[in-house]
Amino acid sequence: MKIAMIGQKRIPSREGGVEIHVEELSLRLVEMGHEVTVYNRGKKGFPHNREYHGIRIVTVPTINRKSLDAPVYSFFAAVHALFGRYDVIHFHAEGPCAMLWLPHLFGIRTVASIHGLDWQRSKWGNFASNFLLLGEKCAVKYADELIVLSQNVRQYFKDTYGRETLLIPNGVNRPEIRKANLITQKYGLRHGCYLLFLARIVPEKGLHYLLRAFAEIDTEKKLVVAGMSSHSDGYTDFIRKMAAKDKRVVMAGFVRGPELDELFSNAFLYLLPSDIEGMPISLLEAMSCGCPCLVSDIPENTEVLGPFGYTFRKGDPEDLRQKICSILKEGPSADKAVQARKYVLKHYDWDLVARETARSAYRNVKAEGKDTG
């Protein structure tokens, strides 16, 4: 089949879960013999590649402002895709789904993947939130197949719209467990001497809860904060000011490659204090490395973590502080971490994700749709 992907900022990239998902899915679809075109968002300072490991890349213009980025990009991408003679156009994330009606109008079959209920995220203003909600409704009304990543979001669409969905979660690659080397040279970090937060620095990830809790904990261990801002520069400045008050906090910024592997492989504890999630890839990655995990008790986190880690009450810095103190005192369960690694590598695999997407979403679209090629 000829398949188009619309929604991610760009690939290759680790800017967010959508970007990782689209890249991993597209690579495997190409290996299966499909023709895949990915529509990247143009941005100054980023290369405009035309091909990536067999994936065709089309870069479309956008306006790099928080409220206009997704609407402008997704409009131009959807219009361009109308002339691509694709068998299916696969939209990712709620914002870009607002343009899903265009290929539907022209009889082109569509799939929508909802990576989270984005309109709930506090970083968006009224215009952006309404646009995201419009995208959600367009996906419900026009998508031939609607994919969600978690059981909680699946239930949301059934209760709110009466719409049945396909549940296909994120995946993870088998990681390389690395000894502390780069992180020792760069930050002075050694195995087991630090706690790790690794996610985008946006309000819904709850980093402010963690910094508040960590400030009141008597420990020599450091807290490593790894991640980049995403349309939330004001919040990032706020976080940097909070972090500057505690010398134990290491602001590592955006990390990838061997440095990322080392951070996961050597952390004493991985923390994800989020208020809202789609399905956290960083949590899957931490578990796949055998890293003990403490997360907020929202369904999207607990569905992934299962019985293999620790939870605290969402939005409660004091409960978070107490849970961290308890784990520091007693030590994390090595047995849980080992079980978590085995479970994740067995059940959350990108090869499985790609095969299920092709089998359940694309095959149905191909069978039901008219010949577009």
Side-chain angles (χ1 to χ4, degrees):
M1 286 184 290
K2 289 186 66 176
I3 303 161
M5 301 283 183
I6 295 175
Q8 73 295 326
K9 293 182 180 69
R10 61 198 59 84
I11 70 164
S13 171
R14 282 191 60 93
E15 293 176 64
V18 177
E19 287 71 40
I20 295 171
H21 184 109
V22 170
E23 179 177 337
E24 298 290 351
L25 175 60
S26 298
L27 288 170
R28 285 158 177 80
L29 290 172
V30 168
E31 290 176 358
M32 293 177 189
H34 301 294
E35 296 180 35
V36 180
T37 298
V38 169
Y39 284 84
N40 277 358
R41 307 185 195 192
K43 187 175 182 180
K44 186 177 180 180
F46 286 86
H48 289 185
N49 300 322
R50 294 186 178 182
E51 189 271 344
Y52 175 69
H53 293 299
I55 303 168
R56 176 174 173 250
I57 296 178
V58 176
T59 300
V60 297
T62 186
I63 297 175
N64 291 300
R65 295 180 59 183
K66 181 168 69 172
S67 60
L68 296 176
D69 185 10
V72 174
Y73 151 78
S74 52
F75 172 75
F76 283 117
V79 170
H80 188 284
L82 294 178
F83 303 95
R85 299 179 69 81
Y86 296 112
D87 293 303
V88 57
I89 301 177
H90 191 159
F91 287 79
H92 294 265
E94 289 190 332
C97 283
M99 299 301 162
L100 194 147
W101 63 273
L102 269 171
H104 175 83
L105 183 66
F106 284 83
I108 303 171
R109 309 297 288 184
T110 57
V111 172
S113 283
I114 303 299
H115 293 254
L117 303 179
D118 295 330
W119 58 270
Q120 296 180 349
R121 303 182 191 275
S122 59
K123 68 179 179 181
W124 302 118
N126 288 335
F127 172 80
S129 294
N130 289 331
F131 180 77
L132 292 165
L133 191 55
L134 172 65
E136 177 178 297
K137 293 178 178 179
C138 282
V140 168
K141 186 173 182 179
Y142 298 118
D144 295 293
E145 292 290 352
L146 185 57
I147 298 172
V148 296
L149 276 61
S150 68
Q151 185 60 48
N152 187 56
V153 175
R154 188 181 200 181
Q155 192 64 44
Y156 165 82
F157 277 97
K158 186 173 183 180
D159 293 344
T160 306
Y161 302 103
R163 175 71 195 249
E164 294 295 336
T165 58
L166 296 172
L167 175 57
I168 305 177
N170 280 323
V172 68
N173 292 312
R174 182 173 290 273
E176 182 175 349
I177 307 301
R178 295 177 179 267
K179 293 182 179 180
N181 182 20
L182 293 173
I183 60 174
T184 302
Q185 298 174 24
K186 197 169 182 178
Y187 310 111
L189 300 173
R190 300 189 182 279
H191 180 79
C193 80
Y194 62 94
L195 316 181
L196 175 64
F197 170 94
L198 193 149
R200 287 176 297 122
I201 300 180
V202 290
E204 63 267 18
K205 294 295 183 180
L207 178 54
H208 50 292
Y209 304 136
L210 176 55
L211 290 174
R212 196 178 308 165
F214 187 73
E216 298 180 7
I217 296 174
D218 182 15
T219 179
E220 294 182 358
K221 293 188 187 297
K222 295 181 178 181
L223 171 62
V224 177
V225 175
M228 63 188 295
S229 174
S230 176
H231 297 302
S232 56
D233 290 343
Y235 179 75
T236 302
D237 291 341
F238 168 69
I239 288 298
R240 291 190 181 280
K241 290 177 182 178
M242 286 187 73
K245 298 176 183 179
D246 192 332
K247 294 181 179 180
R248 300 170 300 170
V249 178
V250 177
M251 298 295 291
F254 178 71
V255 296
R256 60 185 172 184
E259 184 178 335
L260 175 65
D261 292 338
E262 286 187 21
L263 283 174
F264 277 131
S265 300
N266 296 280
F268 176 82
L269 182 69
Y270 169 81
L271 300 125
L272 186 62
S274 43
D275 289 329
I276 300 171
E277 284 290 348
M279 189 198 183
I281 291 178
S282 62
L283 175 56
L284 288 174
E285 291 175 331
M287 293 171 69
S288 73
C289 288
C291 181
C293 299
L294 170 61
V295 303
S296 58
D297 61 356
I298 60 174
E300 291 81 359
N301 284 343
T302 58
E303 183 177 333
V304 174
L305 187 64
F308 307 118
Y310 308 89
T311 65
F312 74 97
R313 287 191 299 272
K314 162 194 162 183
D316 189 338
E318 176 56 25
D319 191 45
L320 174 57
R321 185 193 68 80
Q322 291 179 13
K323 293 294 172 59
I324 295 174
C325 287
S326 176
I327 296 170
L328 286 170
K329 181 179 179 180
E330 299 176 5
S333 170
D335 184 56
K336 280 187 176 182
V338 170
Q339 291 178 25
R341 174 176 165 81
K342 292 179 179 178
Y343 176 79
V344 163
L345 292 177
K346 180 179 179 180
H347 295 282
Y348 295 93
D349 180 273
W350 283 120
D351 291 338
L352 295 176
V353 171
R355 288 199 296 269
E356 184 63 18
T357 301
R359 184 185 71 84
S360 297
Y362 297 163
R363 186 189 66 178
N364 290 345
V365 166
K366 185 75 170 179
E368 295 172 9
K370 62 183 181 183
D371 184 3
T372 62

